[in-house]
Amino acid sequence: DNDIAAYTELMYGIPPNPFDYIKQCSNAHEIWITLEAMFEGNESIRDKKMTSTINKFNSFQKLSGETLNEACNRFKLIVNELMTLGIPKTKLELNIGFLNGLDDRWITIRMILQGNGNLKRMSLQELFGELIAQESTVEQQYQKMYGGNLALLSSSSMEKTESTNSNIPSTLQTFPTDDHGTSSHPMD
């Protein structure tokens, strides 16, 4: 009988810890249901995992300070979760999902890639390669356009630039601090 063969294979192929949960099962079907619930959770838990993973995919954003390579790796983990849960995505969906998660400094590259019609044929790895090849150009252009990162003024330079700060709203101005790091801002 097939059930006896399956029962025997399952009983002898299970490590000791899970075996304690299945040793009272009387047939292969019961063993399978028990193991499935133990390792994958019940239907409600699977639905929550699916919802959470789909939300992670749909809301993916490259984090501030995160390198493109780190963002690619984080996105691949989300894609792997989708595959494990049996949620298929086309090449186009994957590629657009990642591109839409990039910040505005990537808008030109994003428009070019979306406009050339290759995203539906390009693998995610090929897309990552294209983006990584463009990363230094994108960063140089961003630095040229916006002058790099916002620098905070030190307390010694405040006296020199006090007159130039008069046109900056007080909420954006920096104020000197005392030896204990306490700000002398009038609102503190």
Side-chain angles (χ1 to χ4, degrees):
D1 179 64
N2 288 340
D3 188 57
I4 294 171
Y7 177 85
T8 304
E9 288 293 321
L10 287 169
M11 291 300 274
Y12 289 107
I14 303 295
N17 288 343
F19 182 77
D20 290 339
Y21 291 96
I22 63 163
K23 64 183 173 187
Q24 300 302 322
C25 295
S26 60
N27 60 47
H29 182 72
E30 280 183 47
I31 292 172
W32 186 257
I33 297 298
T34 303
L35 290 173
E36 186 177 46
M38 189 172 140
F39 289 106
E40 292 182 10
N42 60 26
E43 189 174 339
S44 174
I45 291 171
R46 282 192 302 272
D47 287 348
K48 288 175 186 174
K49 285 179 186 177
M50 290 174 76
T51 301
S52 173
T53 304
I54 291 169
N55 285 336
K56 280 193 262 183
F57 177 81
N58 290 336
S59 65
F60 177 81
Q61 293 288 307
K62 180 180 176 289
L63 303 174
S64 177
E66 184 177 43
T67 67
L68 187 59
N69 199 40
E70 291 167 337
C72 291
N73 289 334
R74 194 165 53 84
F75 190 74
K76 280 189 247 181
L77 290 175
I78 295 169
V79 171
N80 288 343
E81 284 182 55
L82 288 170
M83 290 172 53
T84 299
L85 293 168
I87 304 168
K89 294 287 182 189
T90 66
K91 288 179 180 180
L92 182 62
E93 289 172 311
L94 294 173
N95 290 334
I96 288 175
F98 186 76
L99 286 172
N100 287 342
L102 298 177
D103 58 34
D104 287 343
R105 67 182 78 191
W106 289 91
I107 194 161
T108 303
I109 303 294
R110 191 167 50 229
M111 288 172 29
I112 291 168
L113 288 170
Q114 288 177 348
N116 72 15
N118 289 334
L119 289 178
K120 64 183 172 188
R121 291 182 293 283
M122 187 182 289
S123 73
L124 197 52
Q125 198 59 42
E126 290 170 324
L127 174 66
F128 292 161
E130 290 282 334
L131 294 172
I132 289 170
Q134 297 295 326
E135 186 172 25
S136 64
T137 304
V138 168
E139 290 303 321
Q140 287 172 357
Q141 189 65 27
Y142 183 78
Q143 296 295 325
K144 191 186 301 183
M145 289 177 67
Y146 297 104
N149 297 331
L150 178 64
L152 297 176
L153 300 173
S154 69
S155 60
S156 62
S157 66
M158 281 300 295
E159 295 163 5
K160 297 176 193 172
T161 59
E162 197 169 82
S163 62
T164 62
N165 283 345
S166 62
N167 294 332
I168 300 173
S170 63
T171 57
L172 298 178
Q173 293 179 14
T174 56
F175 291 87
T177 58
D178 62 15
D179 293 336
H180 303 290
T182 305
S183 171
S184 61
H185 187 285
M187 298 299 282
D188 288 346

